[in-house]
Amino acid sequence: MKPLNLPPVQLKFNQDKTSFFDPIRKKYVVMLPEEWVRQHFVHYMVNFLGYPSSLIKVEFGIRYNKLPKRPDILSYDRKGKALLLVECKSYDVKITKSVFQQVSVYNKTLQSPYVVVTNGLDHFCWHQKESGEIAFLESVPLFDDLMD
């Protein structure tokens, strides 16, 4: 797999090296490029930005207009409200307008005030204010900086 613009992570592989253990979902997952990005980003959130792993969901189902959707990562605040939504793409996928539209659809249901789009190489983070105004951020905020 390709090196990413994220801190390296030590993954626990299965015997044939086709899967690795996801500590959030507590199961082995197939080693695909998007999963490589997802695991690195979760590692970054937990070990460098202070997001508690107990407040993170990975690859879970939601419904939007009766259609099933699968966001990649969602961190909750300590009150159980959506805090940071992350959409991951493979490192060989360019971040385009369609990726921003995809995560925006997810966020219509989840209502997360902070959103990230990443392919492991490029990261875009913004704060969606209650007024609907969007402010792009220089970096992903620390968990403690988002707590009141």
Side-chain angles (χ1 to χ4, degrees), residues 35-56:
E35 191 63 47
W36 180 253
V37 172
R38 191 169 20 255
Q39 291 302 312
H40 276 75
F41 206 87
V42 168
H43 170 74
Y44 175 57
M45 288 173 65
V46 171
N47 296 303
F48 291 84
L49 301 177
Y51 288 80
S53 59
S54 61
L55 298 178
I56 295 175

mmCIF file of all heavy atoms in Angstrom, residues 35-56:
data_model
loop_
_atom_site.group_PDB
_atom_site.id
_atom_site.type_symbol
_atom_site.label_atom_id
_atom_site.label_comp_id
_atom_site.label_asym_id
_atom_site.label_seq_id
_atom_site.Cartn_x
_atom_site.Cartn_y
_atom_site.Cartn_z
ATOM 1 N N GLU A 35 -9.758 1.246 2.751
ATOM 2 C CA GLU A 35 -9.660 0.814 4.153
ATOM 3 C C GLU A 35 -8.313 1.215 4.740
ATOM 4 O O GLU A 35 -8.215 1.573 5.911
ATOM 5 C CB GLU A 35 -9.862 -0.699 4.270
ATOM 6 C CG GLU A 35 -10.037 -1.170 5.688
ATOM 7 C CD GLU A 35 -11.275 -0.623 6.362
ATOM 8 O OE1 GLU A 35 -12.367 -0.657 5.766
ATOM 9 O OE2 GLU A 35 -11.152 -0.140 7.514
ATOM 10 N N TRP A 36 -7.267 1.181 3.943
ATOM 11 C CA TRP A 36 -5.933 1.634 4.346
ATOM 12 C C TRP A 36 -6.000 3.092 4.802
ATOM 13 O O TRP A 36 -5.481 3.458 5.852
ATOM 14 C CB TRP A 36 -4.986 1.454 3.163
ATOM 15 C CG TRP A 36 -3.561 1.850 3.343
ATOM 16 C CD1 TRP A 36 -2.952 2.942 2.810
ATOM 17 C CD2 TRP A 36 -2.553 1.129 4.058
ATOM 18 N NE1 TRP A 36 -1.626 2.950 3.151
ATOM 19 C CE2 TRP A 36 -1.352 1.846 3.909
ATOM 20 C CE3 TRP A 36 -2.560 -0.049 4.799
ATOM 21 C CZ2 TRP A 36 -0.163 1.437 4.492
ATOM 22 C CZ3 TRP A 36 -1.369 -0.464 5.379
ATOM 23 C CH2 TRP A 36 -0.186 0.286 5.222
ATOM 24 N N VAL A 37 -6.676 3.928 4.008
ATOM 25 C CA VAL A 37 -6.847 5.345 4.349
ATOM 26 C C VAL A 37 -7.696 5.471 5.615
ATOM 27 O O VAL A 37 -7.359 6.222 6.539
ATOM 28 C CB VAL A 37 -7.476 6.124 3.169
ATOM 29 C CG1 VAL A 37 -7.839 7.549 3.578
ATOM 30 C CG2 VAL A 37 -6.529 6.121 1.970
ATOM 31 N N ARG A 38 -8.800 4.739 5.673
ATOM 32 C CA ARG A 38 -9.717 4.813 6.818
ATOM 33 C C ARG A 38 -8.994 4.465 8.125
ATOM 34 O O ARG A 38 -9.119 5.163 9.118
ATOM 35 C CB ARG A 38 -10.910 3.882 6.592
ATOM 36 C CG ARG A 38 -12.025 4.063 7.566
ATOM 37 C CD ARG A 38 -13.325 3.329 7.215
ATOM 38 N NE ARG A 38 -13.255 2.235 6.284
ATOM 39 C CZ ARG A 38 -13.670 2.293 5.011
ATOM 40 N NH1 ARG A 38 -14.195 3.395 4.517
ATOM 41 N NH2 ARG A 38 -13.592 1.229 4.237
ATOM 42 N N GLN A 39 -8.214 3.377 8.126
ATOM 43 C CA GLN A 39 -7.510 2.970 9.342
ATOM 44 C C GLN A 39 -6.450 3.992 9.758
ATOM 45 O O GLN A 39 -6.284 4.274 10.948
ATOM 46 C CB GLN A 39 -6.868 1.594 9.156
ATOM 47 C CG GLN A 39 -7.867 0.469 9.057
ATOM 48 C CD GLN A 39 -8.760 0.373 10.275
ATOM 49 O OE1 GLN A 39 -8.294 0.391 11.405
ATOM 50 N NE2 GLN A 39 -10.063 0.274 10.041
ATOM 51 N N HIS A 40 -5.747 4.551 8.790
ATOM 52 C CA HIS A 40 -4.767 5.587 9.108
ATOM 53 C C HIS A 40 -5.447 6.824 9.687
ATOM 54 O O HIS A 40 -4.929 7.439 10.625
ATOM 55 C CB HIS A 40 -3.953 5.966 7.864
ATOM 56 C CG HIS A 40 -2.803 5.072 7.596
ATOM 57 N ND1 HIS A 40 -2.950 3.813 7.070
ATOM 58 C CD2 HIS A 40 -1.477 5.237 7.796
ATOM 59 C CE1 HIS A 40 -1.763 3.250 6.933
ATOM 60 N NE2 HIS A 40 -0.851 4.097 7.376
ATOM 61 N N PHE A 41 -6.607 7.177 9.134
ATOM 62 C CA PHE A 41 -7.266 8.388 9.621
ATOM 63 C C PHE A 41 -7.830 8.177 11.026
ATOM 64 O O PHE A 41 -7.724 9.073 11.872
ATOM 65 C CB PHE A 41 -8.363 8.876 8.659
ATOM 66 C CG PHE A 41 -8.583 10.343 8.791
ATOM 67 C CD1 PHE A 41 -7.817 11.244 8.070
ATOM 68 C CD2 PHE A 41 -9.519 10.851 9.682
ATOM 69 C CE1 PHE A 41 -7.979 12.616 8.227
ATOM 70 C CE2 PHE A 41 -9.686 12.210 9.846
ATOM 71 C CZ PHE A 41 -8.918 13.100 9.120
ATOM 72 N N VAL A 42 -8.391 7.016 11.304
ATOM 73 C CA VAL A 42 -8.874 6.729 12.655
ATOM 74 C C VAL A 42 -7.701 6.766 13.636
ATOM 75 O O VAL A 42 -7.801 7.354 14.714
ATOM 76 C CB VAL A 42 -9.599 5.365 12.716
ATOM 77 C CG1 VAL A 42 -9.827 4.930 14.154
ATOM 78 C CG2 VAL A 42 -10.929 5.436 11.979
ATOM 79 N N HIS A 43 -6.591 6.161 13.261
ATOM 80 C CA HIS A 43 -5.387 6.181 14.094
ATOM 81 C C HIS A 43 -4.966 7.626 14.377
ATOM 82 O O HIS A 43 -4.638 7.987 15.521
ATOM 83 C CB HIS A 43 -4.277 5.410 13.376
ATOM 84 C CG HIS A 43 -2.926 5.540 13.993
ATOM 85 N ND1 HIS A 43 -2.582 4.907 15.161
ATOM 86 C CD2 HIS A 43 -1.829 6.225 13.602
ATOM 87 C CE1 HIS A 43 -1.323 5.208 15.467
ATOM 88 N NE2 HIS A 43 -0.854 5.998 14.533
ATOM 89 N N TYR A 44 -4.962 8.469 13.367
ATOM 90 C CA TYR A 44 -4.624 9.885 13.502
ATOM 91 C C TYR A 44 -5.588 10.579 14.467
ATOM 92 O O TYR A 44 -5.162 11.313 15.367
ATOM 93 C CB TYR A 44 -4.662 10.520 12.113
ATOM 94 C CG TYR A 44 -4.454 12.011 12.066
ATOM 95 C CD1 TYR A 44 -3.314 12.608 12.584
ATOM 96 C CD2 TYR A 44 -5.409 12.831 11.468
ATOM 97 C CE1 TYR A 44 -3.119 13.974 12.520
ATOM 98 C CE2 TYR A 44 -5.220 14.196 11.387
ATOM 99 C CZ TYR A 44 -4.080 14.768 11.919
ATOM 100 O OH TYR A 44 -3.892 16.130 11.843
ATOM 101 N N MET A 45 -6.879 10.319 14.310
ATOM 102 C CA MET A 45 -7.877 10.948 15.182
ATOM 103 C C MET A 45 -7.655 10.554 16.644
ATOM 104 O O MET A 45 -7.666 11.412 17.527
ATOM 105 C CB MET A 45 -9.293 10.549 14.753
ATOM 106 C CG MET A 45 -9.751 11.181 13.458
ATOM 107 S SD MET A 45 -11.342 10.509 12.898
ATOM 108 C CE MET A 45 -12.443 11.057 14.216
ATOM 109 N N VAL A 46 -7.469 9.268 16.885
ATOM 110 C CA VAL A 46 -7.378 8.758 18.261
ATOM 111 C C VAL A 46 -6.033 9.108 18.896
ATOM 112 O O VAL A 46 -5.978 9.631 20.012
ATOM 113 C CB VAL A 46 -7.611 7.230 18.288
ATOM 114 C CG1 VAL A 46 -7.305 6.646 19.651
ATOM 115 C CG2 VAL A 46 -9.041 6.915 17.862
ATOM 116 N N ASN A 47 -4.939 8.855 18.187
ATOM 117 C CA ASN A 47 -3.615 8.968 18.789
ATOM 118 C C ASN A 47 -2.942 10.331 18.655
ATOM 119 O O ASN A 47 -1.976 10.596 19.368
ATOM 120 C CB ASN A 47 -2.700 7.877 18.226
ATOM 121 C CG ASN A 47 -3.194 6.510 18.614
ATOM 122 O OD1 ASN A 47 -3.343 6.212 19.790
ATOM 123 N ND2 ASN A 47 -3.492 5.683 17.626
ATOM 124 N N PHE A 48 -3.435 11.169 17.776
ATOM 125 C CA PHE A 48 -2.804 12.476 17.585
ATOM 126 C C PHE A 48 -3.756 13.643 17.856
ATOM 127 O O PHE A 48 -3.304 14.723 18.214
ATOM 128 C CB PHE A 48 -2.234 12.592 16.158
ATOM 129 C CG PHE A 48 -1.057 11.704 15.951
ATOM 130 C CD1 PHE A 48 -1.233 10.368 15.612
ATOM 131 C CD2 PHE A 48 0.229 12.174 16.125
ATOM 132 C CE1 PHE A 48 -0.142 9.522 15.436
ATOM 133 C CE2 PHE A 48 1.325 11.336 15.954
ATOM 134 C CZ PHE A 48 1.134 10.008 15.614
ATOM 135 N N LEU A 49 -5.051 13.422 17.662
ATOM 136 C CA LEU A 49 -6.018 14.504 17.857
ATOM 137 C C LEU A 49 -6.883 14.321 19.106
ATOM 138 O O LEU A 49 -7.686 15.190 19.424
ATOM 139 C CB LEU A 49 -6.916 14.641 16.615
ATOM 140 C CG LEU A 49 -6.181 14.929 15.301
ATOM 141 C CD1 LEU A 49 -7.170 14.966 14.147
ATOM 142 C CD2 LEU A 49 -5.382 16.221 15.384
ATOM 143 N N GLY A 50 -6.746 13.194 19.777
ATOM 144 C CA GLY A 50 -7.421 12.989 21.050
ATOM 145 C C GLY A 50 -8.881 12.593 20.997
ATOM 146 O O GLY A 50 -9.597 12.703 22.000
ATOM 147 N N TYR A 51 -9.360 12.095 19.851
ATOM 148 C CA TYR A 51 -10.752 11.645 19.769
ATOM 149 C C TYR A 51 -10.854 10.283 20.473
ATOM 150 O O TYR A 51 -10.117 9.355 20.110
ATOM 151 C CB TYR A 51 -11.213 11.525 18.310
ATOM 152 C CG TYR A 51 -11.402 12.865 17.651
ATOM 153 C CD1 TYR A 51 -10.312 13.589 17.166
ATOM 154 C CD2 TYR A 51 -12.668 13.432 17.529
ATOM 155 C CE1 TYR A 51 -10.474 14.831 16.578
ATOM 156 C CE2 TYR A 51 -12.849 14.674 16.934
ATOM 157 C CZ TYR A 51 -11.747 15.366 16.465
ATOM 158 O OH TYR A 51 -11.915 16.602 15.891
ATOM 159 N N PRO A 52 -11.722 10.156 21.470
ATOM 160 C CA PRO A 52 -11.847 8.869 22.160
ATOM 161 C C PRO A 52 -12.391 7.791 21.216
ATOM 162 O O PRO A 52 -13.400 8.000 20.541
ATOM 163 C CB PRO A 52 -12.852 9.152 23.283
ATOM 164 C CG PRO A 52 -12.854 10.640 23.447
ATOM 165 C CD PRO A 52 -12.553 11.196 22.084
ATOM 166 N N SER A 53 -11.714 6.642 21.181
ATOM 167 C CA SER A 53 -12.159 5.571 20.284
ATOM 168 C C SER A 53 -13.571 5.106 20.633
ATOM 169 O O SER A 53 -14.308 4.653 19.761
ATOM 170 C CB SER A 53 -11.177 4.406 20.301
ATOM 171 O OG SER A 53 -11.049 3.888 21.599
ATOM 172 N N SER A 54 -13.966 5.245 21.895
ATOM 173 C CA SER A 54 -15.314 4.835 22.311
ATOM 174 C C SER A 54 -16.403 5.734 21.731
ATOM 175 O O SER A 54 -17.575 5.378 21.751
ATOM 176 C CB SER A 54 -15.414 4.827 23.834
ATOM 177 O OG SER A 54 -15.172 6.135 24.347
ATOM 178 N N LEU A 55 -16.013 6.894 21.192
ATOM 179 C CA LEU A 55 -16.981 7.828 20.606
ATOM 180 C C LEU A 55 -16.917 7.836 19.079
ATOM 181 O O LEU A 55 -17.451 8.735 18.436
ATOM 182 C CB LEU A 55 -16.753 9.248 21.145
ATOM 183 C CG LEU A 55 -16.925 9.430 22.647
ATOM 184 C CD1 LEU A 55 -16.631 10.868 23.049
ATOM 185 C CD2 LEU A 55 -18.332 9.035 23.091
ATOM 186 N N ILE A 56 -16.267 6.826 18.498
ATOM 187 C CA ILE A 56 -16.110 6.764 17.038
ATOM 188 C C ILE A 56 -16.868 5.570 16.485
ATOM 189 O O ILE A 56 -16.794 4.468 17.027
ATOM 190 C CB ILE A 56 -14.618 6.672 16.658
ATOM 191 C CG1 ILE A 56 -13.893 7.949 17.065
ATOM 192 C CG2 ILE A 56 -14.458 6.424 15.156
ATOM 193 C CD1 ILE A 56 -12.384 7.911 16.838
#
